[in-house]
Amino acid sequence: MKSALQVPRTLPEESEVLPGVRNAIAVASAKGGVGKSTVSINLALSLARTGARVGLLDADIYGPSIPLMMGVREQPELTEDDKMVPVNRCGIDLMSIGFVTGEDTPVIWRGPLLAQALQHFINQVEWGELDYLLIDLPPGTGDIPLMLSQTIALSGAVMVTTPQGVALEDVERGIAMFETVDVDLLGVVENMSYYICPECGERHEVFAHGGGREAARRLELDFLGEIPLHAGIRAGGDSGKPVAFAEPDSPEGRVFATIADRVAAAIQSMADEE
């Protein structure tokens, strides 16, 4: 399946940290538990289905979930100059702090040591040439996501939230963080937006309705889409077979494909304005 959208021809200034990456996109949330990693994974897979070269960096140092959700257990290989080669899975290149620390190893670094360790980790990855690198940031607006946003030259950021009315406050905090480091917001994604009853086919809004859309409207951001609360999405993450790869033509898979197209269009629009 090819998308009509093309990878931008006018490129942002390349990062010294990621010299072969054309577009680095942060996927962020102002709080945990909103499905940010699920969005990151399925968005990366959907972009790859358009023919783009895509990488996914799991930068959630305290709770790396990409290895489990992508079904990856092997450690990355090393180049001759001791750089880590991302693990390729489902057509995308993956790197996670979880590959280095191990599944059961708690990360207890703090302060300057943590920042130093993260910068060293990022600098030791050999990504090669990529059209898109999605970066699954830690939740919140603290030192770690702020430092990562300053370390990597980001093309833009996607904010993930949920339908509750408090979504507006959460998105505002996230926007304030990215404004601090002069990073553009590509838009807002609302996860766990609704539930379709398999028996009657009716739509139920379990966690209220419209918080993400209203946040985007009030803050003059693009609303990128609604992701349903669906057992297949959850099961895909638990089994290491994300829905955007295992069932891309299902209704849930098409939702992620639509969001990916809108993200690509936002990147293209920004490139055209330069």
Side-chain angles (χ1 to χ4, degrees), residues 87-168:
V87 177
N88 190 275
R89 172 78 170 171
C90 302
I92 62 175
D93 289 333
L94 306 171
M95 182 54 64
S96 171
I97 193 72
F99 293 161
V100 179
T101 60
E103 294 181 7
D104 301 319
T105 304
V107 177
I108 56 175
W109 302 325
R110 294 180 181 176
L113 180 60
L114 176 57
Q116 182 180 356
L118 275 173
Q119 288 180 343
H120 178 74
F121 172 72
I122 291 169
N123 283 317
Q124 289 301 308
V125 180
E126 185 62 65
W127 288 105
E129 299 292 325
L130 293 177
D131 297 310
Y132 301 102
L133 174 64
L134 275 73
I135 304 166
D136 185 10
L137 290 181
T141 56
D143 290 343
I144 301 174
L146 186 61
M147 183 275 295
L148 286 170
S149 299
Q150 293 171 317
T151 300
I152 299 171
L154 295 173
S155 303
V158 172
M159 186 65 61
V160 181
T161 187
T162 48
Q164 295 94 323
V166 296
L168 179 58

Side-chain angles (χ1 to χ4, degrees), residues 33-93:
V34 301
K36 175 177 51 59
S37 294
T38 296
V39 173
S40 298
I41 289 169
N42 286 287
L43 181 56
L45 290 165
S46 296
L47 285 169
R49 281 180 57 81
T50 70
R53 297 165 296 182
V54 181
L56 175 59
L57 171 61
D58 182 1
D60 190 345
I61 196 165
Y62 290 123
S65 54
I66 299 300
L68 172 65
M69 297 179 73
M70 290 295 294
V72 176
R73 300 187 180 277
E74 63 264 33
Q75 291 188 337
E77 297 181 356
L78 298 177
T79 65
E80 292 183 357
D81 55 350
D82 290 331
K83 285 199 170 185
M84 293 178 287
V85 178
V87 177
N88 190 275
R89 172 78 170 171
C90 302
I92 62 175
D93 289 333

